[in-house]
Amino acid sequence: MDEMEWIHRHPKAEDLRVGLISWAGTYLTFEACKNTVTATAKSLGRRQTWEILVSNEHETQAVVRLKSVQGLYLLCECDGTMCYGRPRTSHHGCFLLRFHRNSKWTLQCLISGRYLESNGKDVFCTSRVLSAYHMWTPRPALHVHVILYSPIHRCYARADPTMGRIWVDAAVPCLEECGFLLHFRDGCYHLETSTHHFLSHVDRLFSQPSSQTAFHMQVRPGGLVALCDGEGGMLYPQGTHLLLGLGCNPVRGEEWFILQHCPTWVRLRSKTRRFISVIYDDEVRAASERLTPMSLFQFECDSESPTVQLRSANGYYLAQRRHRAVTADGHPLESDTFFRMHWNCGRIILQSCRGRFLGIAPNGLLMANATLPGPNEEFGILFANRPFLVLRGRYGYVGSSSGHDLIQCNQDQPDRIHLLPCRQGIYHFQAQGGSFWSITSFGTFRPWGKFALNFCIELQGSNLLTVLAPNGFYMRADQSGTLLADSEDITKECIWEF
């Protein structure tokens, strides 16, 4: 069986979203209550997030509209004032976006020819003479846990901590080495590996971020990015082994990567503690007590429906076929590849589109036989490519703050939550300093507990989850900025992007 091409051809909406930072370091913001646009916010949140809709694109410029997460557009009125709403004509709300060598953007109103600018507070469009006040720094708004795909070499970046290098040679992004954290500090980006080392200007991995690990980022609509040192050096794969390093002579656009949210890969175990694996090309069995690449599945799920697709490392999807057998030969639009998921204390139950539940037959085959689920139809599920979590909710990232005793949920920069699995679906949460998360009688959290507590994780989407805390309540984001575990039901504030 030939492998399917792994990269998704069409970018997701989240890959097209950016925050725009003015010369004063503040973000372009839509004010929902006043129908106005300002640039006063100091961090990137929902009101500072814009989707870039491209109608015409060239190498150095594009014609675009900016759409807020509320579905309304950035509009320039005749007097140069800015608001947001619905475009009244085909050119209303259109801007000529130009990409500059210093990684900045300028936005020129297509109707008036005036440039979008800010005085550090207000936003307007009155001047036709380009200046530094018209420069905007784009910051990708997708979750900071990312993968980097080279469309030229058709491979993913992969960290090699034993050699202190990053290679662009992974055909499938199923290992934790393919995931990176993208830190934004003082206008620059630091690329952190899954083992918490940082890519540097000298092609080595450093243990701490510094000026030698700071890169400027050029951003194009559609998730295309390039990293440079600001002095003419660009990051691109070099040599026969495709070492990611700085150079001055990229060819054919080698410096451009597609930046995407790190996918969720899981491993499934039967009640006999054998891993569900693909063998003999497309046969699926509970075959081995040893984990192999063919025991890993990408968890693809629409948050609007309780169905999931499981994609094998061969590029195909699990599908229920005739005689109720499940094989790894499905295509993404086939109805047979969609399974309804049910959760039971961190264990997952999968139901085929024909109503029967997946279980293990006596010969080890994965079959859709049972009309009612029992222990044989429950599967242990654990993350395969995530040794830690970075959680983002409705108000920001989960992290600690020097000004607060409790863990907050409105941070611009996240904390890593190290995952220590203790049994299927149940994890201990360890803080960055090595201590454990503790919970108070009020349902709040502190990051310096001495004893490990049990947290139950249930996946709610491709990169979405809920956390059942040790007190029996769901963890949620509170508008005050404090992380709480006090929800009996799963609400929007209980859903975490990871």
Side-chain angles (χ1 to χ4, degrees):
M1 181 185 297
D2 294 330
E3 289 189 357
M4 294 175 67
E5 186 173 356
W6 199 265
I7 190 74
H8 291 288
R9 293 184 182 275
H10 302 289
K12 300 177 183 178
E14 67 181 32
D15 300 328
L16 303 171
R17 293 173 184 159
V18 299
L20 291 173
I21 308 171
S22 72
W23 62 272
T26 55
Y27 288 82
L28 184 69
T29 304
F30 64 89
E31 305 289 351
C33 58
K34 301 175 183 177
N35 192 32
T36 58
V37 181
T38 65
T40 57
K42 297 295 182 66
S43 61
L44 178 58
R46 288 174 59 82
R47 292 189 296 115
Q48 292 77 40
T49 300
W50 301 89
E51 185 176 342
I52 308 298
L53 303 179
V54 180
S55 59
N56 194 356
E57 185 173 4
H58 299 284
E59 186 174 340
T60 59
Q61 62 187 36
V63 176
V64 302
R65 277 195 168 103
L66 275 66
K67 183 181 178 182
S68 73
V69 294
Q70 288 187 336
L72 299 176
Y73 295 82
L74 181 70
L75 303 175
C76 177
E77 301 298 8
C78 297
D79 60 357
T81 60
M82 305 301 299
C83 64
Y84 65 98
R86 303 283 181 188
R88 297 188 294 271
T89 66
S90 60
H91 288 89
H92 191 209
C94 285
F95 294 87
L96 180 62
L97 167 60
R98 286 193 177 93
F99 312 118
H100 297 267
R101 288 188 176 182
N102 60 359
S103 303
K104 309 287 186 183
W105 286 3
T106 55
L107 291 155
Q108 187 179 20
C109 176
L110 210 60
I111 296 175
S112 68
R114 298 184 177 100
Y115 291 96
L116 183 71
E117 65 178 299
S118 168
N119 60 7
K121 178 181 178 183
D122 299 317
V123 178
F124 41 89
C125 208
T126 58
S127 176
R128 289 189 175 93
V129 180
L130 189 61
S131 72
Y133 296 104
H134 303 123
M135 296 290 174
W136 297 86
T137 301
R139 177 185 175 186
L142 81 168
H143 192 279
V144 298
H145 200 174
V146 299
I147 54 175
L148 292 166
Y149 176 77
S150 170
I152 296 295
H153 297 287
R154 300 176 69 177
C155 286
Y156 295 86
R158 172 187 62 88
D160 184 352
T162 58
M163 297 187 67
R165 297 284 196 272
I166 293 178
W167 314 96
V168 185
D169 62 358
V172 180
C174 59
L175 301 177
E176 63 185 56
E177 290 85 0
C178 295
F180 299 89
L181 290 181
L182 197 60
H183 298 279
F184 182 73
R185 297 177 183 174
D186 301 323
C188 291
Y189 292 86
H190 302 260
L191 198 65
E192 181 184 0
T193 71
S194 60
T195 56
H196 314 310
H197 293 84
F198 294 84
L199 179 64
S200 73
H201 295 180
V202 294
D203 307 340
R204 295 278 183 178
L205 297 181
F206 285 10
S207 59
Q208 296 293 332
S210 68
S211 60
Q212 283 292 297
T213 68
F215 292 90
H216 298 278
M217 180 183 285
Q218 296 183 15
V219 180
R220 298 291 184 270
L224 274 176
V225 301
L227 293 166
C228 57
D229 64 357
E231 298 177 358
M234 304 290 296
L235 271 179
Y236 60 94
Q238 301 177 35
T240 56
H241 296 292
L242 300 180
L243 171 68
L244 185 62
L246 278 175
C248 299
N249 298 301
V251 295
R252 298 181 299 129
E254 283 183 310
E255 72 274 23
W256 292 103
F257 291 86
I258 296 175
L259 188 70
Q260 290 187 326
H261 197 153
C262 185
T264 303
W265 285 78
V266 298
R267 52 187 188 264
L268 300 171
R269 244 179 178 174
S270 67
K271 70 173 184 178
T272 61
R273 299 188 64 79
R274 293 181 180 271
F275 290 108
I276 309 301
S277 307
V278 179
I279 60 175
Y280 306 127
D281 233 5
D282 61 4
E283 193 174 273
V284 185
R285 290 178 175 269
S288 174
E289 296 180 0
R290 186 172 61 87
L291 192 66
T292 71
M294 297 310 292
S295 309
L296 307 181
F297 298 93
Q298 186 174 338
F299 194 95
E300 298 183 12
C301 178
D302 182 0
S303 60
E304 301 301 321
S305 66
T307 58
V308 63
Q309 291 177 292
L310 294 170
R311 192 179 189 187
S312 169
N314 67 3
Y316 289 84
Y317 292 81
L318 297 193
Q320 187 204 333
R321 299 307 190 194
R322 282 180 286 179
H323 310 299
R324 300 173 186 165
V326 175
T327 56
D329 60 359
H331 293 264
L333 298 181
E334 282 189 83
S335 61
D336 291 343
T337 65
F338 289 86
F339 299 93
R340 191 177 182 89
M341 58 181 177
H342 309 269
W343 288 97
N344 182 22
C345 297
R347 302 177 73 85
I348 194 170
I349 301 168
L350 298 170
Q351 186 178 16
S352 75
C353 62
R354 296 181 177 87
R356 292 186 177 266
F357 294 90
L358 272 60
I360 305 301
N363 61 359
L365 283 174
L366 184 63
M367 306 282 288
N369 274 331
T371 55
L372 291 172
N376 194 50
E377 285 71 44
E378 288 187 355
F379 297 97
I381 182 169
L382 285 171
F383 292 119
N385 67 330
R386 292 177 184 270
F388 57 84
L389 288 180
V390 171
L391 298 180
R392 181 166 71 171
R394 290 180 64 82
Y395 310 113
Y397 286 100
V398 170
S400 52
S401 169
S402 58
H404 296 88
D405 178 48
L406 304 172
I407 295 176
Q408 302 295 297
C409 61
N410 61 352
Q411 302 296 295
D412 186 59
Q413 298 292 332
D415 283 356
R416 297 185 306 269
I417 306 167
H418 290 273
L419 295 176
L420 303 179
C422 55
R423 59 181 185 272
Q424 310 289 358
I426 308 296
Y427 293 86
H428 301 321
F429 282 10
Q430 190 175 39
Q432 292 182 186
S435 56
F436 294 97
W437 276 34
S438 65
I439 187 169
T440 71
S441 58
F442 301 103
T444 55
F445 297 92
R446 290 190 174 98
W448 51 71
K450 294 182 179 179
F451 305 102
L453 303 177
N454 292 341
F455 291 83
C456 178
I457 292 176
E458 296 180 353
L459 299 176
Q460 304 295 337
S462 294
N463 285 98
L464 302 173
L465 57 77
T466 53
V467 178
L468 193 63
N471 64 356
F473 292 96
Y474 284 100
M475 200 167 76
R476 71 173 179 89
D478 189 74
Q479 198 165 7
S480 68
T482 301
L483 185 67
L484 290 169
D486 61 359
S487 181
E488 295 183 359
D489 302 313
I490 298 176
T491 65
K492 288 183 177 180
E493 292 185 330
C494 299
I495 303 293
W496 299 95
E497 188 183 9
F498 69 99

